[in-house]
Amino acid sequence: MLTIAGLNKTYPNHKRGLEAVNVTFAPGVTAIIGPSGAGKTTLLRSINRLITPESGSVRLGDQEIRTANAKALRKIRHRIGMIFQDYNLIEELAAIDNVLHGCLGGKTWLAGILGHYTAAEQARAYELLAEVGLADFATQRCADLSGGQKQRVGIARALMQSPEVILCDEPIASLDPASTQAVMTLLGDLAKRGIMIIVNLHQVDIARQYADHIVGVNQGRIVFDGPTAGLNDAALAAIYAKEAVAEDA
Amino acid sequence: MPNLYLRQTARRRWLTLIAALGLLVAGQLWLQLNDRQAFMGVWAGLAWLVHNFTPDAAAWHDLPTITYQLWRTIVIAIAATSVAAIVAVGLGLAGAATTGRIRWLRGGVRLFASVMRNFPFVAWALVLLFSFKQNDFTGFLALFLMTIGYLTRAFIETLEEVGGGAIEALEATGARYWPIVIQGVLPAAIGGLLSWVLYMIENNIRDATLVGMLTGTGIGFTFDLYFKSFRYPSAGLVVVTLIITTIAIELLATHLRQVLTH
C-alpha cells in the first residue's frame, strides 16, 4: 500500500501545489484526474520525491519517503518506476540501452559509471522489449522511434526496475488513439500482475475505461476518491468546478 | 490602422538607410578617405602580392621544411584543443544548470569561462613568452588557455540543451549523480560536444599560425622568417599550404560531424 497523509506543497511563487492531501493507493490502476494546474503532477512527483513537499507523510509499505535520506531515497526510488509524457529517454542511445538504464539505481557506483550490466540483466532487457512489442527495435536509436514506441521503451525501462509501483505522468498526452490504447492496455496488464499503477490523465473517458480507482484533484485538494463506478456527474462537477479556481484567483 | 503601421515601418526603414549613409560619408570625411584611391590601391596591392608571392622553383625546395613545420603546428593545435576539451567537460558539467549541483560553483565557472574567452590568444602568447620563452610549449599554453574559455562556455550550453527530462528520468530510477552523468548526460550530448571540439581544432590551426609568429615556433615562425628575409615566393608557398590544409581539415571536420551526429 502507498499511503499519503497530510501532504502540503507550496511553490516559491506562493502557488499552492497540494493542501492537506490524504489518499491511499491500492494495487490496480488508479487514475488521478483534474483540471490543468490542479496539482496532479505535484501529487505524483511527491510520491518519488522528484518534488519535495514541506510537510506530511508519503509511505510505501513501512518506508517513509518524504523524510528519507539520500541513500534511502535512492533505494525507494528503485522500487518505484516512472514514465513521462515526453518519454524522457536518451534519444541518441538505442532502445536496449535506455531499458538497461532502469538497472542503474540498483548498481554500485563503479558499475553504474562503467555501465556494466550482467548477462542476466541484458537478457531481461531484451525480454521486456519483446514484451512491449519492440523486440525488433532493440538496437534502433530512440530518436528514430515513433511516440508510441518511445513510450513503450519508457515502460520497459520502468519494468527493468522490477517496481512495486509505476507512476505515469500523462503517458498518453502525446499519443494517437491506437498508441493510447496500446499503452493503457499494457498498463492494465501490469496492474493484473500486481504492480500498482498510478496514472495522471486528462481524458476522463480513458480513466473510466482503464482505471479501477479514481482520485479527483482540484486546487491541490482531493475532491474525489473512490472506485471508477462511483465517478458520477456530481463527482465530475466537483473535480472540474470552476468556482474553486475563481475563489482562489 | 494597418496602413499607419506600414507607413511608419517604411519611414523607419528610410531613416535607418539615410543615417547609415550619413555615418559612412562623415567617417570618410573625418578619415580623409578617397574611395577611388582606396579601390585602385586594393588592385595594386593584389597585383604586387600575386607577382611576389607566387611560389617559384626555389620555393619548392623549402617544401619539406614547410610541411614539417605545418605538421608541428597541427599537432600543437590538436593537442591544445584535446587537453582543453577534457578540462572543459569537467568545467561544463560543473557550470551547466542541468548538471551543476553547487550554485556558487556554477557562477564561478561561467565567470572563469568568460574571462578566459575574452582574453585574446595573442595577449596570452605575449604574456607567456616572458615566462616560458620561445618554444612549442608556449604556443600550446596560449591556445590551451583560450580554448578552455571557449569550450567551457560552448559545453555549458550543449549540456543544458540535453534537458532536465532525461536526467530526471534517471534520477527517478534511483541512480547516483555520476552514473547519470556518464550513462545519460554525456551520451546525449556527445555529438554536440565533439562538434565543438572539431570546430575549435579548425580554428586553432589557423590561430596557431599567428601564435607561432609570436612564440617563434611552427609554421607561423617559418612564414615570418621567409617574409622578413624577403623570400616572398617561399612565404607564398607557406600561405598556399596553409589554405590547402585548413580547407582539408574543415572538410574532414564536417564529415566527422555528420558521422557523429547522425
Side-chain angles (χ1 to χ4, degrees):
Chain A
M1 293 289 250
L2 179 71
T3 312
I4 293 176
L7 207 63
N8 290 291
K9 172 70 187 174
T10 305
Y11 287 101
N13 60 1
H14 306 296
K15 186 181 182 297
R16 189 170 55 204
L18 297 174
E19 187 183 350
V21 167
N22 296 295
V23 60
T24 299
F25 294 99
V29 178
T30 300
I32 303 174
I33 60 170
S36 296
K40 301 189 296 292
T41 298
T42 307
L43 175 59
L44 198 77
R45 285 168 181 245
S46 295
I47 293 171
N48 62 351
R49 227 172 85 188
L50 287 179
I51 288 174
T52 307
E54 292 95 45
S55 60
S57 162
V58 181
R59 295 185 81 83
L60 177 61
D62 58 354
Q63 188 86 51
E64 174 60 48
I65 299 173
R66 196 186 70 80
T67 53
N69 63 27
K71 191 178 174 186
L73 179 62
R74 279 201 304 271
K75 281 187 179 167
I76 297 165
R77 279 179 173 170
H78 193 55
R79 293 163 58 193
I80 304 172
M82 187 162 191
I83 61 174
F84 302 82
Q85 179 184 342
D86 297 323
Y87 327 119
N88 289 2
L89 302 171
I90 311 293
E91 302 258 327
E92 291 74 9
L93 295 180
I96 189 79
D97 295 318
N98 276 284
V99 176
L100 283 165
H101 282 163
C103 304
L104 281 177
K107 293 208 159 291
T108 61
W109 182 79
L110 189 62
I113 282 179
L114 297 174
H116 175 72
Y117 301 107
T118 63
E121 285 167 341
Q122 290 175 28
R124 169 107 176 108
Y126 273 107
E127 270 172 34
L128 289 171
L129 278 173
E131 197 179 320
V132 298
L134 294 174
D136 295 337
F137 297 88
T139 55
Q140 201 152 322
R141 270 172 21 124
C142 285
D144 301 329
L145 299 178
S146 71
Q149 288 170 331
K150 285 179 188 175
Q151 198 55 286
R152 282 185 279 158
V153 173
I155 293 172
R157 177 176 63 189
L159 288 174
M160 196 68 199
Q161 295 173 232
S162 304
E164 295 162 43
V165 182
I166 295 183
L167 308 174
C168 315
D169 193 6
E170 299 187 20
I172 55 166
S174 315
L175 304 184
D176 59 48
S179 298
T180 295
Q181 197 183 7
V183 167
M184 290 309 296
T185 305
L186 192 56
L187 293 175
D189 291 344
L190 296 175
K192 284 177 194 147
R193 276 199 251 157
I195 300 173
M196 189 189 293
I197 305 289
I198 304 172
V199 54
N200 272 357
L201 287 172
H202 263 300
Q203 303 90 332
V204 175
D205 55 329
I206 298 283
R208 274 189 164 133
Q209 193 181 342
Y210 291 96
D212 306 306
H213 198 91
I214 304 273
V215 171
V217 187
N218 193 340
Q219 288 294 312
R221 282 167 273 178
I222 304 291
V223 292
F224 178 82
D225 182 4
T228 307
L231 187 71
N232 53 27
D233 289 347
L236 277 175
I239 295 168
Y240 291 96
K242 286 185 178 162
E243 294 85 81
V245 179
E247 189 184 285
D248 289 308
Chain B
M1 209 51 179
N3 278 346
L4 179 68
Y5 168 77
L6 292 173
R7 269 205 305 276
Q8 283 177 340
T9 310
R11 193 184 302 151
R12 260 200 303 274
R13 217 173 284 150
W14 276 109
L15 283 173
T16 309
L17 187 65
I18 291 164
L21 282 171
L23 273 175
L24 181 70
V25 172
Q28 283 182 329
L29 289 172
W30 188 44
L31 294 171
Q32 296 176 326
L33 193 70
N34 182 325
D35 281 343
R36 192 172 162 277
Q37 211 174 19
F39 188 69
M40 295 310 288
V42 169
W43 286 111
L46 280 175
W48 184 88
L49 268 178
V50 171
H51 181 255
N52 288 288
F53 274 73
T54 305
D56 57 11
W60 289 103
H61 287 294
D62 293 323
L63 191 62
T65 311
I66 291 169
T67 46
Y68 172 68
Q69 293 302 335
L70 189 63
W71 172 244
R72 279 178 67 184
T73 305
I74 292 169
V75 169
I76 287 170
I78 292 174
T81 314
S82 309
V83 178
I86 292 166
V87 179
V89 167
L91 292 171
L93 286 169
T98 44
T99 52
R101 294 289 166 99
I102 306 165
R103 201 171 173 173
W104 63 262
L105 189 60
R106 280 207 304 265
V109 166
R110 281 165 188 268
L111 182 68
F112 169 78
S114 192
V115 169
M116 299 299 272
R117 209 159 48 109
N118 289 306
F119 198 71
F121 67 90
V122 175
W124 274 124
L126 289 171
V127 168
L128 293 167
L129 200 57
F130 291 109
S131 315
F132 296 93
K133 311 300 174 208
Q134 278 196 326
N135 57 51
D136 287 338
F137 187 65
T138 308
F140 167 88
L141 264 185
L143 289 173
F144 169 76
L145 291 170
M146 185 209 60
T147 308
I148 275 190
Y150 268 100
L151 283 185
T152 300
R153 181 74 205 159
F155 284 4
I156 284 173
E157 281 172 20
T158 306
L159 289 166
E160 284 178 349
E161 276 168 22
V162 169
I167 297 169
E168 191 179 52
L170 294 184
E171 272 177 352
T173 68
R176 292 174 170 88
Y177 175 78
W178 282 108
I180 290 173
V181 166
I182 291 169
Q183 297 302 324
V185 177
L186 292 181
I190 197 76
L193 299 181
L194 286 174
S195 194
W196 276 112
V197 171
L198 291 169
Y199 171 74
M200 281 313 292
I201 286 176
E202 274 176 57
N203 256 3
N204 279 350
I205 287 172
R206 279 188 285 268
D207 292 345
T209 309
L210 190 53
V211 170
M213 283 184 197
L214 301 164
T215 57
T217 52
I219 196 71
F221 180 65
T222 308
F223 176 84
D224 202 33
L225 199 71
Y226 291 149
F227 187 78
K228 284 178 177 163
S229 55
F230 304 106
R231 292 165 66 186
Y232 296 140
S234 296
L237 188 60
V238 170
V239 174
V240 170
T241 54
L242 261 174
I243 290 168
I244 291 169
T245 307
T246 46
I247 289 172
I249 283 169
E250 204 173 313
L251 290 173
L252 182 69
T254 306
H255 175 69
L256 279 174
R257 233 175 263 142
Q258 279 170 346
V259 170
L260 289 167
T261 52
H262 290 95

